[in-house]
Amino acid sequence: MSSASEGAGDAGVMLHPELRADRDEAPKAPNGQRLDHAEGASKPLRVRSEKQPRGARIHGNRPVDQAEAAARFIAAPEHEKMHDERLWDLRQKRDREMHGIPEWEELRTLASSIKEHTLVHLDEYLDQFEANARANGIHVHWAKDAAEHNHIIHRVLADHGAKSLIKSKSMLTEECGFRHYMAAVGIEVIETDLGERIQQLDNEDPSHVVVPAVHKLRTDVAEVFAKTIGTDPDNSDVHYLAEAQRQSNRPLILAADAGMTGCNFAVAETGTFVVCTNEGNADLSANVPKLHIASIGIEKMIPRLEHLAVFVRLLSRSALGSPITQYTSHFRGPREGGEMHIVLVDNGRSARLGMPEFWTSLKCIRCGACMNTCPVYRRSGGLSYGATYSGPIGLIIDPTFNAHKYSNLPFASTLNGSCSNVCPVKINIHEQILAWRRELVKQHEVSFVKKAAMKAAGELLSRPAAYRAAIATADVALAHLPRFVIYNGLNAWGDHREIPHPPKHTFHSWYHANRGAK
Ligand code: SF4
C-alpha cells in the first residue's frame, strides 16, 4: 500500500500532503505520465453539488434577455457567491496597488490624454505604424471587418500549408468569430491561455476580458476536463487540473504549424507591438512555430515607446491588482527563418470613432476593472450578457455592433459610477451607458412597457407633492398587504430580494418635524 509520504517522495516535494487520500497513487495524466506539480491524485476536495448555470439564450437577432440569464446565475448560489467574492477580491487588490502609487490620478489623466490624442490622429499613427512595421520585415494587412480578418488569416495559413494554429487570448478574435470560422475551414485552433482553453473545451465564450473562466467553480473545470482530456472527474484539485491540461496541450503546441497573438499596445514610432500575459502563453504562440500572425484592433495604437510605461503601470494594477503582468513581450519583427504578419482590424471602430457620445470608449485597454467593480456583473456572470464584451464597457461597445440585439444591455446597470471611477483611462462609462439608453429610446429599441414605466416614474419624480403622497401610500400598503399581492410575477425586483420594512418616518417627515421650523 502506498502511503501519502511514499507517494510524495516519488513525486518530489508536495506542498499539501494532507490533501492526498491514504490509498492514492501518485497523480498521473490519462496517458500514464506523472504529474509532478499535482498535489492530489483522486481524493475529491469537494463534492460537486451545483450545476454550472449557462449563459444567455441567443435567438438569432432577437434582443438578448440578460435579466433571464442573470436570474439563472443568481439561482445558483455557489456560483454567484464565488463569482462575486473573486471579482471583489480583484477590486480590493486593485485599490491596494492604487494607494501605493501617489501619482495614480496623474497616470490616469496622462493615459486618457495619450489615448484621446492618438484617436484624434489615428489615421496618421496607423500609417506611421504600418511603414515602420514593414521596415521591420513584417507583412501588414488591413481588415475592414470580421469576415475580412478571418479570410486574410486563412489565406496566410493556406499559403503555408498550415493545418493547426496555437493562439493566445484575444478579444478581437472573439469579436470576429475566428475559432468557428477556422473550424469550418478545417484548421485546428488550440488556445494557449489556461482559462481560454477551458472555455474552448467547454464550447463557451470567455465571460471576462482578463479571466475568461472566472464564472466556473473548479468542480466545473474538473467536469469539462474529464469529458475532454480524460481526467478524474472526482478530482478538482487545481494543481492536478492545471498540470493535466499542460500535459495535454503541450504536444499540440510543439507540433503546431502557426502561432497567433493579439496585441495590447502597438507603438507607431517603432512599428512594434506588445502583448501582456501572466502565463507566457503569447510567447509560446509567437515563438514555437515559425509563422506568427497578430490580430490588432486599430485602437491599440500609441504614438511612442515612452508612452508604453504609462499603460504598463496601469494595466495589471487595474486588472488583477498586481504591479505588472508576468510577461510583457515586445515583438519587433520575424525571427530568423520565420515570418510575421499583422492584421490591422477596423470591424466597426471607425464608425464608433464618429459617434460623438461613444468615441472615447475606444480608449479602453481591456483591463476588466469596470467588470470587477460592477455589482450587476459580479452577480450575474459575464455570459448573461450574451455578447463578446460584458460588464459596463460591454454595455457601450455591444450596441455599436447591433443596437437591436443588444438593446437590453444598457439597462443592466445601476449607474452608480464605480466603473468610471476605476477606469484607468478615465472613460465616463456610466454616462455613456445612460447616453445609450436615450439613444435606444430614439431608435425605438425600448419596449412599450419599459417606456411607459419610465415615463410614469419621470412624472412622479418631477412632482414632489405627488411623490410624497405615493411614498406614504406605498409604505402603508407594504405594511398591510398580504405577501402574495407584493411578491408575484409582476414584481421582478422581489424575485430575488425582500423589500425592506418601511421606516416609521421618511426623511422628509423627520426633517419637517425636527428641522422644518428652523
Ligand atoms: S472601460 Fe476602462 S475599466 Fe473597463 S475594461 Fe476598459 S479600460 Fe478597463
Side-chain angles (χ1 to χ4, degrees), residues 97 101 311-318 320-326:
E97 283 297 322
I101 307 260
F311 295 98
V312 169
R313 291 186 78 196
L314 287 166
L315 178 63
S316 192
R317 287 187 168 92
S318 302
L320 301 170
S322 59
I324 193 165
T325 45
Q326 303 291 325

Side-chain angles (χ1 to χ4, degrees), residues 209 363-371 393 419 422-425 427 429:
V209 292
K363 293 191 289 182
C364 176
I365 56 171
R366 309 278 189 266
C367 72
C370 56
M371 302 169 170
I393 187 62
C419 45
V422 298
C423 178
V425 287
I427 301 172
I429 305 171

Side-chain angles (χ1 to χ4, degrees), residues 114-115 118-119 122 125-126 129 169-173 175 209 262-268 272-275 295-304 308 311 315 343-345 349 361-367 389 397:
I114 294 168
K115 277 282 179 184
T118 316
L119 289 168
L122 191 56
Y125 286 120
L126 282 167
F129 177 81
K169 190 168 73 60
S170 146
M171 291 310 294
L172 175 57
T173 56
E175 226 180 86
V209 292
C263 158
N264 290 89
F265 306 102
V267 186
T272 60
F273 60 99
V274 175
V275 186
S295 289
I296 304 181
I298 56 173
E299 85 285 13
K300 298 287 183 184
M301 289 298 129
I302 55 172
R304 292 204 295 279
L308 186 63
F311 295 98
L315 178 63
V343 188
L344 290 165
V345 189
R349 285 156 176 76
S361 63
L362 288 161
K363 293 191 289 182
C364 176
I365 56 171
R366 309 278 189 266
C367 72
Y389 298 100
I397 298 179

Side-chain angles (χ1 to χ4, degrees), residues 458-506:
E459 294 283 336
L460 191 64
L461 292 171
S462 64
R463 290 180 170 74
Y467 171 75
R468 276 177 215 139
I471 289 291
T473 313
D475 283 351
V476 172
L478 281 176
H480 296 99
L481 285 175
R483 192 175 168 81
F484 74 88
V485 178
I486 301 167
Y487 295 95
N488 55 44
L490 295 173
N491 179 7
W493 195 90
D495 278 353
H496 309 290
R497 287 160 284 221
E498 284 290 314
I499 295 174
H501 291 296
K504 286 200 181 109
H505 302 287
T506 63

Side-chain angles (χ1 to χ4, degrees), residues 30 197 201 224-231 241 244-246 248:
R197 181 64 173 165
L201 292 174
V224 174
F225 283 2
K227 279 187 198 146
T228 52
I229 60 174
T231 55
L241 293 171
Q245 201 288 136
R246 189 171 191 261
S248 138

Side-chain angles (χ1 to χ4, degrees), residues 2 76 121 240 430 489:
S2 76
H121 302 277
Y240 166 72
H430 69 296

